[in-house]
Amino acid sequence: MKPSLVVLPGQEYLGEALLELLDMDRVTTTIKEFPDGECYVRIHTSVNQQIVFIAGSLNRPSAKILTLLFLAAKLKELGSRKIVLIAPYLPYMRQDKEFHAGESITSIYFARLLSTYFDHLITLDPHLHRHRSLKDLYQISSDCLHSAPLLADWVRTHVEKPVILGPDSESKQWVKEIAKLANAPYTVLLKQRLADDQVTLTGTDLSDFPDFVPILVDDIISTAGTMTAAVGYLNKRMTKPPICLGIHAVFSNNAYSCLLSKGVSKVITTNSIPHESNGIDISSLLASAIQRYMLGSISKQ
Ligand code: R5P
């Protein structure tokens, strides 16, 4: 049986890449917004007894979630055997505790919501910090992909004498892995967040790396406050301008142009979210995850 693929609006790049890599049936849909802002969803292709994958990054989630849930609900009603969400960027992972009394712990509520509509989740480097695994949050099975080998490949092929740097302790998990795969040294800075877009960094001794190329790595670049503070810190202490490597190019408002103006050599991200900084392709990772799920479903039959 061939897997079927539904692509969320605006994520066609992802759909085309997956259809090129795998033999999948494209499910055609009409998705639009009524004049009053409500969304309209129609599925034109038969999905009865099919395993259906819905692909689309969920950055700016409020604009996408209802469409996604209406799609999943209709696919179920039309007889889909399993419905799998491929969300290369998984939102609502950072509010993972009540930082101030009365705050919604949205990572839990969001996981509960998606778990009622989907059978399985495929995602890339979700922001796991206080929750150590997606299993702590999601009631469905998941496949958590890692971009470290792709980022390390990029470093190996583009940079001579790199040192891999993380802006905060949370980044150590991927910084350490990339450094190992790229055969480079690494270290992490210490971050304190003062406001949504304001952070201060304190540091670490960089005197061992005088003529290295600093590669700053973070999972999410959103306001770019973290990267900007790290770039400022490094520019005062190292001779070469840093390269910023981000996994998820969330980039709010003018964050990207601001970061570019702060003395970075370049900013490179994966295409988990389409953005002009994309330079690392994750589609083969997603295609392998689809194949794994299909093989698992066949062996369970
Ligand atoms: C934080 O815990 C994450 O790993 C990133 O450092 C953070 O989300 C980056 O956000 P911003 O670009 O807004 O500083």
Side-chain angles (χ1 to χ4, degrees):
M1 186 197 16
K2 274 202 224 173
S4 299
L5 180 68
V6 181
V7 179
L8 287 184
Q11 312 274 320
E12 290 75 16
Y13 81 100
L14 184 59
E16 292 313 319
L18 291 176
L19 289 165
E20 204 154 290
L21 290 168
L22 295 175
D23 190 15
M24 300 179 89
D25 284 326
R26 187 196 295 258
V27 176
T28 58
T29 57
T30 302
I31 294 169
K32 62 180 187 182
E33 194 177 89
F34 283 114
D36 61 1
E38 292 184 2
C39 55
Y40 171 91
V41 168
R42 182 172 174 199
I43 294 165
H44 300 282
T45 313
S46 166
V47 291
N48 191 27
Q49 286 305 307
Q50 295 298 300
I51 296 181
V52 185
F53 294 80
I54 304 186
S57 253
L58 299 181
N59 57 310
R60 310 230 154 251
S62 303
K64 294 176 183 161
I65 293 306
L66 280 178
T67 303
L68 180 70
L69 300 185
F70 293 156
L71 266 171
K74 191 65 199 175
L75 288 168
K76 177 118 293 190
E77 210 173 288
L78 292 173
S80 302
R81 176 135 46 110
K82 295 282 180 200
I83 306 171
V84 178
L85 174 61
I86 306 176
Y89 174 67
L90 186 64
Y92 286 116
M93 290 297 291
R94 289 183 288 173
Q95 181 87 41
D96 57 1
K97 78 168 201 180
E98 197 176 320
F99 297 96
H100 304 102
E103 281 177 352
S104 293
I105 307 175
T106 49
S107 58
I108 294 178
Y109 311 150
F110 189 67
R112 210 177 280 157
L113 179 68
L114 290 191
S115 297
T116 56
Y117 284 83
F118 293 92
D119 298 294
H120 182 71
L121 167 67
I122 296 170
T123 189
L124 178 78
D125 291 311
H127 186 82
L128 288 166
H129 180 38
R130 274 161 284 262
H131 299 293
R132 301 309 303 166
S133 151
L134 283 181
K135 287 196 192 95
D136 299 346
L137 286 168
Y138 282 77
Q139 289 81 51
I140 51 175
S141 57
S142 53
D143 193 351
C144 192
L145 312 175
H146 296 289
S147 60
L150 299 176
L151 270 60
D153 259 1
W154 188 93
V155 172
R156 268 198 310 267
T157 47
H158 292 85
V159 187
E160 260 180 54
K161 219 171 172 192
V163 53
I164 316 293
L165 297 155
D168 52 28
S169 57
E170 287 156 68
S171 64
K172 189 169 173 191
Q173 40 183 318
W174 43 87
V175 164
K176 192 173 163 190
E177 183 66 10
I178 294 164
K180 189 173 113 197
L181 297 170
N183 203 15
Y186 77 92
T187 185
V188 293
L189 308 174
L190 291 173
K191 173 168 97 177
Q192 198 193 352
R193 188 172 284 281
L194 308 172
D196 282 353
D197 59 352
Q198 245 192 358
V199 302
T200 57
L201 289 178
T202 49
T204 177
D205 181 18
L206 298 168
S207 57
D208 285 348
F209 315 110
D211 55 345
F212 281 62
V213 177
I215 314 276
L216 266 169
V217 181
D218 208 355
D219 58 341
I220 299 168
I221 314 180
S222 175
T223 65
T226 303
M227 279 295 191
T228 302
V231 168
Y233 184 89
L234 294 176
N235 278 343
K236 283 193 204 126
R237 290 164 177 84
M238 297 193 74
T239 48
K240 302 204 167 131
I243 295 173
C244 296
L245 277 192
I247 301 173
H248 303 295
V250 171
F251 288 117
S252 57
N253 306 320
N254 58 349
Y256 181 56
S257 51
C258 264
L259 178 59
L260 285 178
S261 71
K262 299 293 179 196
V264 295
S265 135
K266 49 175 88 92
V267 179
I268 303 287
T269 58
T270 80
N271 57 354
S272 74
I273 296 171
H275 187 263
E276 59 184 288
S277 61
N278 292 168
I280 298 171
D281 183 21
I282 60 158
S283 46
S284 61
L285 283 183
L286 301 177
S288 306
I290 294 175
Q291 283 174 321
R292 263 196 302 281
Y293 187 78
M294 292 304 289
L295 283 174
S297 311
I298 292 164
S299 64
K300 275 187 213 135
Q301 277 173 21

